[in-house]
Amino acid sequence: AEYMGGPGLITDESQLPEVRVEVYKGKHDVVIKFSDKGGGIPPKKLESIWAYGYSTVEESNYKMGQNTAAHIAGNFVRADMAGYGFGLPLSRAFARYFGGDIHIQSFFGLGTDVYLTLNHIGDQEEALAVESLISQSHTHTQA
């Protein structure tokens, strides 16, 4: 039986709001912005999202009228990958390890913007130029 709960609860994939992705390239970094109009994150929960082990899966299952993490929102989320509370903290750790970061700006009642910043070194052309110089230096040393 499908839960016919309160307002704003999504029970059908066709009701999912659009997610917009924008990519901005600067001189030294790339910013990928993910935006949705999914209602945002309540301020009280926003304080906890970076804590390892913090999850709202059980609460979501309760709202869906189900009892286990194996029944998370039908096909919306892979149940075996959700609910452990490691996704956001690990994503931020990896981003920082590679010289970037993740920032979240949520407007409760409207939606959430996630900014993923990554460092980059040059362009594809520059990488090819370096490979060309390396192969030329090997050719000259062998001659």
Side-chain angles (χ1 to χ4, degrees), residues 14-34:
S14 68
Q15 296 174 329
L16 287 172
E18 175 182 86
V19 175
R20 184 178 174 99
V21 178
E22 300 173 40
V23 179
Y24 303 95
K25 181 182 175 209
K27 188 170 185 171
H28 301 288
D29 58 7
V30 173
V31 177
I32 305 170
K33 177 184 172 187
F34 304 88

Side-chain angles (χ1 to χ4, degrees), residues 44-118:
K44 193 161 189 103
K45 291 183 180 179
L46 195 56
E47 299 169 8
S48 303
I49 63 172
W50 298 112
Y52 283 96
Y54 176 76
S55 175
T56 60
V57 168
E58 289 302 319
E59 178 183 327
S60 297
N61 286 336
Y62 177 75
K63 286 182 180 177
M64 292 292 290
Q66 301 184 12
N67 298 321
T68 66
H71 297 101
I72 301 171
N75 293 323
F76 301 167
V77 179
R78 281 188 50 192
D80 59 337
M81 297 297 291
Y84 295 103
F86 288 94
L88 282 175
L90 279 178
S91 296
R92 184 168 70 172
F94 278 113
R96 287 179 173 175
Y97 178 78
F98 290 108
D101 210 346
I102 296 178
H103 298 281
I104 294 181
Q105 180 67 50
S106 187
F107 302 96
F108 186 57
L110 180 62
T112 302
D113 294 333
V114 177
Y115 298 87
L116 172 61
T117 305
L118 302 169

Side-chain angles (χ1 to χ4, degrees), residues 3-10 63:
Y3 177 76
M4 303 303 282
L9 184 64
I10 296 172
K63 286 182 180 177

